[in-house]
Amino acid sequence: MYAASSSVSAPPRPLRSRPAGGGPYLDPVARPGGPVPVAGRPRRVPGQPGTQPLSGRLDLSGPQGAQLRTAIASVHRICPEFAPVQVLRRSGRSVLLVGTTGRSTAVAKCLLDHSTAWAERFRHEIAAYRSFVRHRPPVRVPRLIAADPDNCTLVIERSPGRVAALQRHPAEAPPRADIRAALGAICRVNAWRPPAGTFDMPLDYGTRISRYHELGLLTDRDLGDLQKLLHGIAHEVGRHGMLQFCHGDALLSNILLSPAGPVLVDWEHAGWYLPGYDLATLWLVLGDAPAARRQISQIAQSAGPASRDAFLVNLMLLLTREIRTYETAVQRSMHDAAPAATGLAHPGAVPSGEEQRLLLRRLHDDCQMARRAVRAAVGTR
């Protein structure tokens, strides 16, 4: 639970605040709300243990069909052998296709919204997968097949396995073995030191804190407390190079579990953060797993006071963003807005009615807990 000072947190190209999201490469058969295969002869793909056979027929009619044809054409320009089978997910910003490339299956991701912010984020993800070709991380990642940063098109292998959690905030705590596997994978990523210059620092902590304060999401005392912790951490970062490599969106929905080990997907926010960013993300979504939360807090504190403080700053920022996102979702749902408009990746990611109110209440309670921990940490300085 730590924070970093604004003097050390200005990245070369800070990415804009992103909406709450989830893993885009889920198995369409295993995900509720996923595409329903239409009539067609099932296509079995050899050599894909644990992966359901693909079947279906793409609907290329109408305006959405035209959009789909454009996406497929952009994929064929960089991967002519890709044969699309199903739409894995479609939103106003991107479309994900699952298909075959020879004897294996692949996922193609095409950006539809080419605004500067989304295009930059997409290119960051492509750069991450390209870097993994030369410098393998200590966890399994999908193999890069083809990519076109200019047209924002990416083709990667479809990794077998089941997603660690289908929802951003699981209604029930995942099995302990699944949490242990996910946490182990994240810790290995955080201990990795990719070559200098490979990744930048996606989050400007000082700017983010100030913006949340201007929006009324943080109180004056929150602002002062977080800035004090950042100032103290800045000294440690300067002395010891304390920044930590993080996945940047370490949700359980971005982790596939397979007998060969966890597979991490959705690397568009990977980079250098203050210690504990990924741990804070896992803590955030494991509200129904108190034992896992205790373990995460212990790991965060084990590296010393500076790392503890950084974890707390990360947690406060993530909780603030999460509350804002879900409150916006509620407001839009009251005006009959489509779920995709909220920016949440999964159709079932936005609870409704009583579930929504309970989630927001828990997030506010968690934020109060983090706020008290921040104030206690400031008191020890």
Side-chain angles (χ1 to χ4, degrees), residues 154-297:
L154 172 67
V155 183
I156 61 174
E157 70 174 350
R158 184 189 183 207
S159 300
R162 58 181 177 83
V163 69
L166 296 174
Q167 295 176 312
R168 180 178 181 85
H169 294 270
E172 297 181 0
R176 291 182 180 179
D178 291 358
I179 295 177
R180 185 165 56 249
L183 184 56
I186 292 301
C187 287
R188 289 195 296 275
V189 169
N190 295 159
W192 186 45
R193 308 290 294 185
T198 307
F199 292 92
D200 58 11
M201 193 174 179
L203 176 59
D204 185 325
Y205 284 86
T207 299
R208 180 68 59 84
I209 290 171
S210 297
R211 182 157 63 86
Y212 283 173
H213 176 253
E214 292 169 0
L215 293 171
L217 303 173
L218 295 174
T219 67
D220 291 346
R221 181 166 181 180
D222 291 335
L223 175 66
D225 288 346
L226 292 173
Q227 287 179 338
K228 287 177 183 176
L229 291 184
L230 283 175
H231 180 74
I233 294 170
H235 181 64
E236 295 296 326
V237 171
R239 287 178 56 199
H240 306 296
M242 204 180 75
L243 294 178
Q244 183 181 74
F245 181 75
C246 292
H247 176 276
D249 201 15
L251 304 170
L252 294 173
S253 53
N254 283 332
I255 302 174
L256 303 178
L257 302 176
S258 73
V263 182
L264 269 62
V265 299
D266 195 4
W267 290 86
E268 63 188 70
H269 303 292
W272 297 98
Y273 294 79
L274 291 176
Y277 189 88
D278 283 344
L279 292 177
T281 302
L282 279 179
W283 192 98
L284 167 74
V285 299
L286 287 172
D288 290 320
R293 279 188 162 186
R294 285 194 297 271
Q295 183 181 5
I296 290 170
S297 297

Side-chain angles (χ1 to χ4, degrees), residues 100-143:
T100 61
T101 53
R103 295 175 60 84
S104 61
T105 54
V107 171
K109 181 178 181 181
C110 305
L111 192 65
L112 304 177
D113 178 357
H114 285 263
S115 60
T116 302
W118 289 99
E120 180 181 5
R121 193 172 305 166
F122 199 101
R123 293 181 183 119
H124 184 86
E125 183 174 14
I126 290 177
Y129 279 110
R130 283 181 168 174
S131 71
F132 294 155
V133 174
R134 302 184 301 273
H135 311 289
R136 299 295 296 176
V139 294
R140 297 179 64 221
V141 299
R143 178 178 59 87

Side-chain angles (χ1 to χ4, degrees), residues 13-180:
R13 281 191 318 169
L15 301 182
R16 292 173 174 79
S17 176
R18 66 189 185 280
Y25 308 123
L26 303 181
D27 189 330
V29 178
R31 178 168 62 87
V36 178
V38 294
R41 178 174 298 177
R43 178 183 301 181
R44 294 189 176 274
V45 182
Q48 294 293 317
T51 302
Q52 296 290 335
L54 299 179
S55 65
R57 176 168 51 85
L58 296 176
D59 182 3
L60 301 179
S61 61
Q64 288 192 339
Q67 195 178 59
L68 200 56
R69 288 196 298 272
T70 300
I72 293 173
S74 68
V75 175
H76 283 162
R77 279 195 291 271
I78 61 173
C79 187
E81 67 274 19
F82 181 79
V85 177
Q86 290 176 348
V87 176
L88 193 58
R89 179 172 62 83
R90 189 203 318 246
S91 69
R93 297 189 178 100
S94 64
V95 60
L96 287 161
L97 300 166
V98 62
T100 61
T101 53
R103 295 175 60 84
S104 61
T105 54
V107 171
K109 181 178 181 181
C110 305
L111 192 65
L112 304 177
D113 178 357
H114 285 263
S115 60
T116 302
W118 289 99
E120 180 181 5
R121 193 172 305 166
F122 199 101
R123 293 181 183 119
H124 184 86
E125 183 174 14
I126 290 177
Y129 279 110
R130 283 181 168 174
S131 71
F132 294 155
V133 174
R134 302 184 301 273
H135 311 289
R136 299 295 296 176
V139 294
R140 297 179 64 221
V141 299
R143 178 178 59 87
L144 175 66
I145 297 175
D148 182 356
D150 294 330
N151 290 319
C152 294
T153 305
L154 172 67
V155 183
I156 61 174
E157 70 174 350
R158 184 189 183 207
S159 300
R162 58 181 177 83
V163 69
L166 296 174
Q167 295 176 312
R168 180 178 181 85
H169 294 270
E172 297 181 0
R176 291 182 180 179
D178 291 358
I179 295 177
R180 185 165 56 249

